[in-house]
Amino acid sequence: MGYRVAYDTGGKKRRQRSRRAPVLTAAAFLVFLLLVNGLWPRGRQALRDMVFPGDRTVTAAAWDELTRQLRAGEPVGSAFEAFCREIIDHAGLSSP
């Protein structure tokens, strides 16, 4: 003879995850970036250094190569890996 345990939820339905959460998160991040860019010069420079580390010309060239590879049909993972390796190699952070 089988049995089943049923727990009472107190009449409350379990709240489902909102589909708006990713959109609201992206909007909040965009507002954050706009505020930092407009009101905090040191923060703007810190964000710029995080997004484009090292020598900007090397990063710009690596970005151009990334977009060329993606347009040529390379898989995103391998193109992004090549982008990161190019930046790391020119930053002197690569392992021996």
Side-chain angles (χ1 to χ4, degrees), residues 50-67:
M50 281 188 275
V51 174
F52 300 110
D55 186 12
R56 290 183 191 210
T57 57
V58 171
T59 304
W63 183 262
D64 289 340
E65 181 63 19
L66 171 71
T67 57

Side-chain angles (χ1 to χ4, degrees), residues 71-90:
R71 287 183 181 144
E74 288 285 326
V76 174
S78 64
F80 187 69
E81 180 181 353
F83 170 76
C84 293
R85 287 186 187 278
E86 183 72 20
I87 292 173
I88 290 171
D89 288 344
H90 283 83

Side-chain angles (χ1 to χ4, degrees), residues 16-49:
Q16 291 185 355
R17 195 170 161 171
S18 173
R19 293 180 185 206
R20 296 185 312 169
V23 174
L24 292 175
T25 301
F29 186 64
L30 180 62
V31 168
F32 168 74
L33 291 177
L34 290 172
L35 288 173
V36 167
N37 190 37
L39 302 175
W40 190 24
R42 287 179 54 195
R44 179 184 334 143
Q45 186 61 38
L47 284 173
R48 191 174 292 146
D49 291 342

